[in-house]
Every structure is written in structure tokens, then in C-alpha cells.
Amino acid sequence: MNKKELKNSILYISMIIFMLAVSASCKKDTPQSEIDPGLIEAYVQKNQLNGEFTDSGLYYVISVPGGNTHPNLNSSVTVTYNGYTLNDDPIDDGSFITFKLNQLITGWQEGIPLIGTGGKIKLIIPSDQAYGKEVLVFDITLHYFSK
């Protein structure tokens, strides 16, 4: 291939990339809040989970209900947790860490009060109840809490 043919090839490829970029930017973006339910449903089916949805779209599976009393938004909770994406890529973890529940993401604020001391729960949290970018999964053990 001579220099002229190489230049033309590069120009042609550049034009195709530019046209694809323009075409993609012209498409109307679907809000993440409309995409999340399908992603969560697919994850639930793939992993054969047997849980429930809340009215807000949070999906949860309680494996150990824990004690009869449950924390509320004003509680400090001590938890061990693993957080990951729907692709099972780890994002965060902690062991025996204490948080004020009302200072955490809304998915935790809604999900953790569903269990009592010693309880274990899996939360599949829509993006708008997490950090806004993607659906996240957390496996949480509630060791204890104070009101």
C-alpha cells in the first residue's frame, strides 16, 4: 500500500468513526432508572434468587432474619459487607464497621431495617438508590445496632 492509499484509508476510517460518534450522540438516551429494573430482573433470574422487591425497586433476599428488633434511620449499625457490580466485580467491603444509617445510601437505609441483630441480607440496589451510575449488590451482616 502506497502513502496515498494509506492516507485515504486513514481518512475513510476516521470518517466512519466520526459518523458513528455523531449518530450515537443523536440517539435519545434512556434514563438509567428505566434500565435498572430489567438489569435487576436478569441478575435475579441468572442467580436464581428468591427475594422480594420493595415499592422503590430495591430487591432483597433475607437469608437470616436476625433478632426481633430492627434498626431505624436514627440507628448506628455495625455491619460486615461485600459490595459488587452485577458482573461480580468487587467495589467495596468492610468488617465490623459502624455507620449512622441515615448517612448511608438510600438502598441501605431501606434494606438494613428489614433485618435484626445477627441478620443477613442481600440487597440489589437500583442506581438512583446507590451512587447514581449503576445497579449494585451488597451482602450485609448486621452484627448489632444502637438506636
Side-chain angles (χ1 to χ4, degrees):
M1 185 180 285
N2 65 36
K3 285 185 179 183
K4 184 176 181 182
E5 290 173 329
L6 182 60
K7 277 184 173 181
N8 286 340
S9 293
I10 291 172
L11 180 61
Y12 180 72
I13 291 170
S14 298
M15 286 176 40
I16 289 174
I17 291 171
F18 175 75
M19 289 174 19
L20 288 172
V22 168
S23 173
S25 69
C26 291
K27 292 181 182 175
K28 187 175 182 179
D29 290 331
T30 304
Q32 189 66 38
S33 62
E34 291 180 20
I35 297 169
D36 287 353
L39 295 173
I40 293 170
E41 196 62 50
Y43 183 86
V44 166
Q45 289 179 4
K46 175 185 168 198
N47 292 281
Q48 300 177 343
L49 299 176
N50 187 19
E52 297 181 39
F53 280 99
T54 65
D55 290 340
S56 70
L58 173 74
Y59 188 87
Y60 67 95
V61 179
I62 298 174
S63 55
V64 177
N68 290 331
T69 58
H70 296 207
N72 61 44
L73 281 179
N74 295 317
S75 298
S76 290
V77 296
T78 300
V79 298
T80 293
Y81 67 95
N82 288 301
Y84 44 97
T85 66
L86 293 178
N87 295 326
D88 295 324
D89 294 328
I91 57 164
D92 195 12
D93 62 62
S95 183
F96 283 88
I97 298 180
T98 301
F99 300 104
K100 285 288 289 178
L101 190 55
N102 62 12
Q103 295 175 352
L104 299 174
I105 59 175
T106 57
W108 280 42
Q109 291 177 11
E110 183 177 5
I112 290 177
L114 298 173
I115 57 175
T117 299
K120 294 183 179 189
I121 191 167
K122 178 185 290 292
L123 301 176
I124 305 172
I125 305 174
S127 59
D128 63 349
Q129 294 178 45
Y131 300 107
K133 293 185 178 186
E134 62 186 319
V135 174
L136 297 177
V137 181
F138 288 92
D139 294 317
I140 303 170
T141 299
L142 175 60
H143 297 294
Y144 44 85
F145 66 93
S146 59
K147 292 200 175 203

